[in-house]
Amino acid sequence: MRAGQMDQRVVISRLDRVPDGLGGATEVPVQISACAAHVVFETTRERREAGRITDPVRGEVRVRRSASTRQAAVNDRVVIAGASYRVISVTDRGRAVAEISLGVERVTT
């Protein structure tokens, strides 16, 4: 992939449980990485053909492979243009490609 195709800025974060001092805990996002990415969302036609028209929007986020992006895991969060997405799959595309592909779906709450 050429560098020009990585035209979006994304933030990858993980929810961390922090004690609230009252015996409970609060989930706080902790940033793992902020990087350039290539983002592709499925089309409405693809969702309709898959029978998922009412399901959350899904897509793929490709980022350069680095020490920080290799930490990404399922259930982490990716913020794209102010919208939050949950990571549903992580694929390290290997050393030859030097990319990590994150399957994401829109967080509705």
Side-chain angles (χ1 to χ4, degrees):
M1 175 172 299
R2 295 187 322 266
Q5 291 178 321
M6 295 210 171
D7 58 354
Q8 300 244 353
R9 196 84 179 141
V10 300
V11 175
I12 303 170
S13 61
R14 178 169 296 143
L15 294 177
D16 191 17
R17 295 182 62 82
V18 177
D20 62 6
L22 301 173
T26 303
E27 289 188 335
V28 177
V30 177
Q31 181 174 315
I32 295 173
S33 179
C35 55
H38 178 67
V39 180
V40 179
F41 291 107
E42 65 185 354
T43 63
T44 303
R45 181 179 182 182
E46 290 170 333
R47 292 174 66 208
R48 186 174 44 248
E49 288 174 355
R52 295 185 297 99
I53 196 67
T54 59
D55 289 348
V57 174
R58 291 185 180 173
E60 178 184 26
V61 178
R62 290 184 185 173
V63 295
R64 292 273 180 226
R65 189 171 185 259
S66 68
S68 62
T69 58
R70 281 192 310 231
Q71 295 178 34
V74 173
N75 291 324
D76 285 349
R77 297 284 191 255
V78 178
V79 177
I80 306 165
S84 184
Y85 296 83
R86 183 175 64 91
V87 176
I88 56 175
S89 68
V90 178
T91 305
D92 189 338
R93 299 177 55 122
R95 297 184 82 166
V97 179
E99 287 180 357
I100 294 178
S101 178
L102 306 173
V104 297
E105 73 178 7
R106 180 79 186 256
V107 176
T108 55
T109 57

